Structure formats: C-alpha cells, structure tokens
Amino acid sequence: MAVTIKSAREIELMREAGRLLEIVHDEMGRIIKPGISTWEINECGDKMIRKLGCVPNFLNYGGFPAAICVSVNEEVVHGIPRREHILKEGDIVSLDAGLIYKGYHSDAARTHRVGRVSEEVQKLLDVTKQSFFEGIKMARPGNHLHDISNAIDDYVSSFGFGIVEDLVGHGIGTKLHEDPQVPNFRQKKKGMKLIPGMTLAVEPMINMGSKDVVWLEDQWTVITKDHKPSAHYENTILITDGEPELLTLH
C-alpha cells in the first residue's frame, strides 16, 4: 500500500482545491428546489468548476458521463444526472463532486432536502452528517485509520441505520482515489497509523434501512436493496499535528 504524505507545497494546493470545491457545493445547494432536474444541477456544478479555472474530476472518470454525481432518495451514490429526472417536494438529493486544481484533487458530498422532508428522513440526514464528525475526532496523529471507521460505526449503529459496506472512503491527492481505503464500518484490525500530511476523503454512506445495496444496469447508480432513502456526507481532510483540517469545509 503506497500512501502519499503531502509536502507543504502540496498541502497548499490541496487547500485551494478544497476551498474552490466548497464554493461549487454552495452554488449547487442554492438552486435545489422542487421542479429542477438532476441534469440542471450537474450543469450548474460543471460550469462553476470551469469558471473557477478547474477541471471536474468525475467527468469521464472510468466512463462516468457527468461532472456531478446526483443521487436521489434510494440512490446511494453515482447517480447519473438526467434531464427527465425532476426533483419533487420531500425528496433528498446527494451531490458528490470533485475538481482538479493544478493537478490536485478535492472530493466532497452533501445530501440536501428538496423542500420539506419527514422527521425520519431529517434524522437520517442529521445522523449521516454527524457520523462524519464523530469519525474525524479520531483523525489525529498516533491514532490508527480504523479508529475513524469504528467511531463512525459506533455512532450510526446507535440509531439503527444501515452502514454501506460495499463502498468506502479513500486517500486523495494527485489521483482522485489513492491508498488507503477508509471504511465507515467497524474493523477487526487497527489499520495504519495516521501521520501528518496524509489526505483522506472520509465519506459515510448511511441507509435508513438495510446496509445492502445493488448496482443498476447502467453499471454506475448504486441503490438501497430495500429502496429506503440513503444519505451521503463527505469532506477531504488533512491529518495535521493536532486536529484534522477540513479542506472542503470552512
């Protein structure tokens, strides 16, 4: 496993990549409302990334046909934006986006409400987001990678939600996906020791029901097997000498 430790110069570039991606997410979040298509959200994100002088790293990555993954309700991740897919009141929509700034990647995801949602769905969104913050409490030098995983699992499991195990977080840098993998569920082994200069994409994917997922025929879209809603929350983080730095959230 080749885990890259970033230099001071690389960290500065990744900080900027993260700062710019947060701008993109804020812009996409502003336009979400009933009646908008998932393709319009993708177009908004794509244009904003390019306006900022960056490149969308998801577009054509492994053949993915869009700049933004737009996943609605039971779609967990990798939802393909479509002109005919119109958001309606009570939906939730997960936006997973990334960009390349001067050769360095950032990656972040947010799940948004479309108008009003049920209390149960709001609880899913709240728990998913908080599970990320519970996990990164452990993202300190001297701790181990799977301390993050176990903290996420402990928090989410206390609410009875399902933690997706087929997809995990990852290292990030000059490539979108680098070593190590960052599971969101309890691990038997400790995993590697965390060292300052590591950059990780930590991304809990939490289902209202079962943890089980299936891939659709498009070979991209992942949905919950029981068709219950799923939420996704992700930031690119930097391991420092103390608390982790959130590169995509300020």
Side-chain angles (χ1 to χ4, degrees):
M1 184 183 294
V3 176
T4 61
I5 304 300
K6 310 304 187 295
S7 67
R9 174 185 165 275
E10 289 179 304
I11 288 168
E12 280 305 312
L13 292 170
M14 291 199 67
R15 272 197 189 107
E16 185 63 5
R19 186 186 74 84
L20 295 172
L21 182 57
E22 186 177 15
I23 293 171
V24 174
H25 265 293
D26 288 347
E27 191 71 17
M28 291 191 295
R30 274 193 282 271
I31 69 167
I32 290 174
K33 61 183 179 181
I36 196 171
S37 73
T38 57
W39 182 257
E40 286 174 275
I41 298 170
N42 172 72
E43 281 197 317
C44 171
D46 192 336
K47 287 176 181 176
M48 195 67 195
I49 289 170
R50 296 178 194 280
K51 183 179 177 181
L52 294 169
C54 301
V55 177
N57 51 11
F58 291 0
L59 182 61
N60 299 321
Y61 184 80
F64 188 75
I68 314 295
C69 297
V70 187
S71 307
V72 182
N73 296 335
E74 75 275 12
E75 296 173 352
V76 180
V77 285
H78 307 157
I80 297 174
R82 302 183 191 281
R83 288 178 175 83
E84 66 274 14
H85 195 161
I86 307 299
L87 298 182
K88 63 183 186 302
E89 183 85 16
D91 284 343
I92 56 172
V93 56
S94 299
L95 307 182
D96 193 357
L99 57 78
I100 307 168
Y101 171 77
K102 295 187 178 179
Y104 285 82
H105 292 256
S106 55
D107 188 6
R110 308 278 185 263
T111 301
H112 298 269
R113 297 172 301 185
V114 183
R116 294 182 179 179
V117 298
S118 69
E119 286 185 16
E120 191 180 16
V121 168
Q122 185 61 54
K123 188 70 172 176
L124 174 67
L125 301 186
D126 293 342
V127 168
T128 300
K129 182 175 181 178
Q130 186 59 33
S131 73
F132 165 86
F133 289 100
E134 294 298 321
I136 66 163
K137 287 178 183 177
M138 308 305 295
R140 288 173 165 269
N143 284 353
H144 289 81
L145 182 70
H146 295 160
D147 291 334
I148 299 173
S149 311
N150 296 346
I152 292 171
D153 190 317
D154 287 348
Y155 182 75
V156 173
S157 295
S158 70
F159 294 92
F161 292 139
I163 305 169
V164 175
E165 296 183 4
D166 292 61
L167 302 140
V168 297
H170 52 90
I172 185 170
T174 56
K175 296 177 182 175
L176 176 57
H177 293 105
E178 297 183 353
D179 287 333
Q181 292 194 340
V182 186
N184 301 304
F185 51 97
R186 179 161 285 282
Q187 302 292 301
K188 291 180 180 177
K189 295 183 178 179
K190 285 185 174 182
M192 64 173 52
K193 190 166 279 193
L194 298 174
I195 300 170
M198 287 181 173
T199 44
L200 307 171
V202 179
E203 51 176 321
M205 289 157 271
I206 310 301
N207 299 342
M208 185 175 285
S210 162
K211 68 180 181 181
D212 297 328
V213 298
V214 294
W215 270 253
L216 297 185
E217 287 184 7
D218 62 25
Q219 299 298 306
W220 280 108
T221 310
V222 181
I223 68 167
T224 56
K225 192 172 183 180
D226 58 13
H227 294 275
K228 291 184 178 179
S230 182
H232 186 196
Y233 188 82
E234 173 187 22
N235 284 300
T236 299
I237 72 165
L238 167 69
I239 305 299
T240 71
D241 291 323
E243 292 185 3
E245 182 179 343
L246 278 60
L247 301 180
T248 50
L249 185 67
H250 300 86

